[in-house]
Amino acid sequence: MRTSHAESPPSPPESRPATLATGVRVLCAAAAVLLVRRYAALWTALWLVLTVAAGTAVQQGLKAAVDRPRPVWPDPVDSAHYAAFPSGHAMTATVVCGLLLWLLHRHGVGRALWRTALAVAVVSVAGVGLTRVWLGVHWPTDVLGGWLLGALVVAAAIGIHRRLHPSPDGTLSV
C-alpha cells in the first residue's frame, strides 16, 4: 500500500538497510573466495571481481553521459537521486547472476543445482527490474537498458575469460 509522501517521506539513502548493491558485492566476494580456496582459481576470482567493478564503472559512466531524469510521481513509494539510465540495480543483478551462472556451468554442477540456480537468477533479475519500475524510480526503458547492458558485459567478460585463460588441453578452463 502506498502512503502519502507527506506522511512518510522516503528515508535518505544513508539510513536505509543493506541494498542490492551490498548483497551482490557480498555474493561476489563469497564466490571469489570459494574459487580461490576450493578450485585454486585465483585468475577467475580476479576476473569475477574486476568484471563486476567494470560493469559498475560502465553503468555510472552511462548515467553521467545520458543524464536521464527519473520519473516524478505525486505519491512515490521510494525516491532515488542520480540519473535514471541505465538502471544500476537491473544491470548489477544481470551481471552478477549471469557471471555466477556461467561459473556454475563451467564447473559442471549437477542438473538439479543448475536448474535451481537458473530459476533463482531469472526470478531475481526480473524481480529487481520490475520492482524498480513499480517503486517509481525508473522508466521501463531504464530497466530494459540495464538488462541489455548487463548481458553485454557478461558476454564480453566470458569472451575475455575464454580468450585469456584456455586450458592446456585446448578446452576452456575455469
Side-chain angles (χ1 to χ4, degrees), residues 80-103:
H81 306 291
Y82 314 114
F85 184 87
S87 167
H89 284 79
M91 187 171 169
T92 300
T94 303
V95 169
V96 171
C97 288
L99 294 175
L100 293 179
L101 283 173
W102 184 74
L103 287 171

Side-chain angles (χ1 to χ4, degrees), residues 26-125:
V26 169
L27 183 60
C28 281
V33 168
L34 178 66
L35 283 165
V36 172
R37 292 193 73 192
R38 184 163 182 188
Y39 299 103
L42 179 60
W43 192 93
T44 299
L46 290 172
W47 165 85
L48 174 64
V49 171
L50 290 174
T51 299
V52 172
T56 300
V58 166
Q59 174 236 123
Q60 290 299 317
L62 280 170
K63 280 184 180 290
V66 174
D67 198 29
R68 180 177 181 168
R70 291 185 181 267
V72 177
W73 303 106
D75 191 19
V77 174
D78 198 1
S79 66
H81 306 291
Y82 314 114
F85 184 87
S87 167
H89 284 79
M91 187 171 169
T92 300
T94 303
V95 169
V96 171
C97 288
L99 294 175
L100 293 179
L101 283 173
W102 184 74
L103 287 171
L104 286 173
H105 176 71
R106 297 293 301 145
H107 280 283
V109 298
R111 177 178 262 165
L113 177 57
W114 171 251
R115 287 182 176 175
T116 302
L118 182 61
V120 168
V122 168
V123 169
S124 296
V125 170

Side-chain angles (χ1 to χ4, degrees), residues 11-20 22:
S11 26
E14 59 277 358
S15 69
R16 292 184 186 153
T19 64
L20 170 77
T22 302

Side-chain angles (χ1 to χ4, degrees), residues 69-73 84 136-139 142:
R70 291 185 181 267
V72 177
W73 303 106
V137 294
H138 281 290
W139 302 103
D142 300 335

